[in-house]
Amino acid sequence: MKNEIKTTVVSIIYILSHNDATAWAKIFEELNVELENDYEAALSSLRSVFGGAGSFTDLVLHKNKVPLTQENNELYALKNKLYNLLKVELAKINSHKK
């Protein structure tokens, strides 16, 4: 599952960096590196980007104040995929700790 999570994160970085969401792209680049250094901590950090107001969940890509439909649809699918992968992986890790 680690490879699928990393692949999804790389796809998110690509779409963010190519659509002027550089601050978010940088966050995901750092978390992608963290996946190699401290996998479990990185999973928790990735999960945390989905919570609260102004979170990654709320991000909508724009160009000249116009939402980018195709890019947002792709990003939405990647958000859902990553969230679901994290949910499964964190549940698996937590069940092994008990």
Side-chain angles (χ1 to χ4, degrees):
M1 182 153 318
K2 182 177 182 178
N3 287 337
E4 191 171 2
I5 290 170
K6 286 188 66 62
T7 299
T8 305
V9 168
V10 168
S11 295
I12 289 170
I13 292 167
Y14 180 85
I15 195 167
L16 293 173
S17 62
H18 285 82
N19 289 286
D20 297 325
T22 53
W24 278 109
K26 184 176 179 180
I27 290 168
F28 278 92
E29 287 168 354
E30 291 169 1
L31 291 170
N32 192 41
V33 170
E34 185 72 16
L35 284 168
E36 290 301 322
N37 298 328
D38 188 345
Y39 183 64
E40 192 172 326
L43 293 176
S44 294
S45 295
L46 280 165
R47 173 61 184 90
S48 71
V49 302
F50 287 94
S55 69
F56 181 57
T57 305
D58 298 335
L59 177 65
V60 177
L61 302 172
H62 292 82
K63 185 170 186 172
N64 299 323
K65 299 183 183 181
V66 177
L68 301 170
T69 304
Q70 180 180 346
E71 293 84 349
N72 282 307
N73 289 341
E74 183 179 347
L75 183 59
Y76 180 78
L78 290 167
K79 287 178 188 178
N80 284 333
K81 180 178 182 179
L82 180 60
Y83 183 84
N84 289 324
L85 289 169
L86 293 170
K87 186 175 167 183
V88 169
E89 189 72 344
L90 286 168
K92 184 170 67 174
I93 288 169
N94 289 330
S95 72
H96 284 69
K97 289 183 176 181
K98 292 180 181 180

